[in-house]
Amino acid sequence: MRDVLDRLLTWWKAGESVAVGTVVATFQSAPRPPGAVMLVGPGLEVVGSVSGGCVEGAVYQLGEEILESGEPVLQRYGVSDESAFAVGLTCGGIIDVFVEKVDRATFPELAEVAADIAEGRPVAVATVVAHPDPARIGRRLIVRPDGQLGSTGSDRVDDAIVDDARGLLANGRTETLEYGPDGQRRGDGMRVFVSSYAPVPRLLVFGAIDFAAAVARLGTFLGYRVTVCDARAVFATASRFPFADEVIVDWPHRYLSDEAAAGRIDDRTVICVLTHDPKFDVPLLEVALRLPQVAYIGAMGSRRTHDDRLKRLREAGLSETEVARLASPIGLDLGARTPEETAVSIAAEIIAQRWGGAGQRLSTAAGPIHH
């Protein structure tokens, strides 16, 4: 939704109606994740994608119909013998797409949700996408850590959704929940899609070197909020790191300690230590490796530098469990030489760790492509 929100909000403010198709569930080798959105706007203009091209035509046609009828539809698309290239997924996957009409009447809270997202305030949108009572379909709740808006028509259902949605929001997860028709935990018949908009995950790059500039650029491309930090003011400048969201002049270990104390480090935060200088990276890694929650900690350096670093960390009192959290030397073995190639190898390792990939060539592997 983030990718199309500006356009959707512009149409919404103008009083226009938009058909919004959202991927709410995927099975097997689906090309786009839950939360991917496609808009069919005024003049039947298309924005966004739900499948990378496989079923866009069918969703577009359904969007046209829903702009006329106003009735939301949950549609499943999958591969089929006769229509694989027409309305199916040629990759063999299956996706459920919920298509609804969005305007000021059907989604009056949209501007508030957009403001939360823009300001980095956590918010989740929970939408009923299937229910035995057609009148319940399309109803939604706006869930925040400390409040809620809207209703599904049942206090019991609302309480169950709010409780579960806050759990998903805390972990930045988007998924479909199953309940009984009146919110029963062990029932079925009602499906609720919860789209979580947690603050953008952070990428902290320590060491103001040319490799850091390449990592910052790729991190921005991957959707991270990028911070570059170095104690040397002459190197840590905004002009040298145009793709970073912020450039900080501070001792790395002190900056990281302060960010952790302020609650700005979570289990989605990625830390890349590119200083490969013991006076910077050892104190920094002492802090990083003891953080209770972090997605990835990688450190650059040769094998010799790595061995020396481990020795210093153990001497500083870090346990083997703590040291084992460190990815060093940083990155996957791609044969990278340039800063840009090295940044790709680092990004590849971060992605592999996040999704459980093995980092091997897909052409030599078997089984599902998407983990």
Side-chain angles (χ1 to χ4, degrees):
M1 173 67 85
R2 292 180 191 270
D3 295 340
V4 302
L5 184 56
D6 287 346
R7 184 65 67 86
L8 176 60
L9 189 61
T10 297
W11 283 327
W12 182 91
K13 288 180 177 178
E16 303 281 3
S17 295
V18 182
V20 179
T22 305
V23 177
V24 299
T26 65
F27 309 91
Q28 301 174 37
S29 194
R32 297 295 305 276
V37 171
M38 173 178 153
L39 310 179
V40 180
L44 302 181
E45 178 183 351
V46 176
V47 178
S49 172
V50 292
S51 71
C54 300
V55 301
E56 260 67 14
V59 175
Y60 176 82
Q61 183 176 358
L62 184 56
E64 287 186 272
E65 297 170 3
I66 286 168
L67 283 174
E68 290 291 329
S69 69
E71 299 297 325
V73 173
L74 178 63
Q75 181 67 50
R76 175 163 292 184
Y77 298 98
V79 68
S80 64
D81 292 336
E82 282 135 21
S83 58
F85 291 93
V87 295
L89 295 167
T90 56
C91 61
I94 298 171
I95 61 173
D96 286 347
V97 180
F98 182 69
V99 187
E100 60 181 325
K101 181 179 178 179
V102 168
D103 54 28
R104 286 179 174 269
T106 63
F107 198 164
E109 311 91 351
L110 180 61
E112 293 182 60
V113 171
D116 284 340
I117 295 172
E119 295 298 323
R121 296 188 293 265
V123 62
V125 179
T127 306
V128 179
V129 298
H131 197 283
D133 179 1
R136 297 277 192 95
I137 299 174
R139 294 191 180 185
R140 75 184 93 243
L141 280 168
I142 311 304
V143 182
R144 300 185 176 95
D146 57 355
Q148 67 191 73
L149 289 174
S151 175
T152 64
S154 163
D155 290 341
R156 178 178 178 180
V157 173
D158 291 352
D159 289 344
I161 292 173
V162 168
D163 186 44
D164 292 341
R166 284 183 177 148
L168 294 176
L169 184 59
N171 291 286
R173 291 167 51 198
T174 288
E175 63 182 62
T176 296
L177 304 174
E178 302 271 353
Y179 301 97
D182 197 32
Q184 301 93 328
R185 295 286 184 177
R186 294 183 177 273
D188 56 32
M190 178 171 68
R191 298 174 65 190
V192 178
F193 180 66
V194 180
S195 186
S196 295
Y197 301 98
V200 174
R202 300 187 69 189
L203 168 60
L204 307 182
V205 183
F206 294 98
I209 62 175
D210 51 355
F211 288 90
V215 170
R217 181 175 186 177
L218 198 52
T220 298
F221 176 74
L222 292 176
Y224 288 93
R225 176 175 175 79
V226 179
T227 298
V228 175
C229 176
D230 197 299
R232 303 165 298 176
V234 67
F235 296 114
T237 63
S239 61
R240 296 188 69 232
F241 300 96
F243 291 96
D245 293 284
E246 57 181 355
V247 179
I248 303 296
V249 178
D250 199 351
W251 279 86
H253 70 283
R254 184 168 60 194
Y255 173 74
L256 184 58
S257 294
D258 290 346
E259 290 299 288
R264 291 190 285 267
I265 306 296
D266 60 26
D267 58 4
R268 299 177 301 145
T269 302
V270 169
I271 297 174
C272 293
V273 180
L274 310 183
T275 50
H276 53 79
D277 182 335
K279 70 176 178 289
F280 291 120
D281 61 15
V282 172
L284 171 60
L285 288 170
E286 285 185 58
V287 176
L289 294 171
R290 286 173 171 149
L291 290 171
Q293 291 185 318
V294 67
Y296 172 90
I297 305 168
M300 177 179 280
S302 66
R303 297 289 182 188
R304 179 179 297 178
T305 299
H306 169 70
D307 291 340
D308 177 69
R309 181 187 293 132
L310 291 185
K311 178 175 178 291
R312 292 171 183 267
L313 290 171
R314 291 184 177 110
E315 290 173 349
L318 271 76
S319 68
E320 292 304 314
T321 300
E322 290 168 335
V323 169
R325 301 175 70 191
L326 178 61
S328 174
I330 197 170
L332 295 185
D333 181 11
L334 304 183
R337 300 294 181 90
T338 67
E340 292 74 19
E341 290 173 346
T342 301
V344 170
S345 78
I346 294 170
E349 183 174 44
I350 293 168
I351 294 168
Q353 181 166 309
R354 178 183 182 186
W355 298 111
Q360 66 189 105
R361 297 180 66 188
L362 289 173
S363 62
T364 63
I369 293 175
H370 302 287
H371 290 260

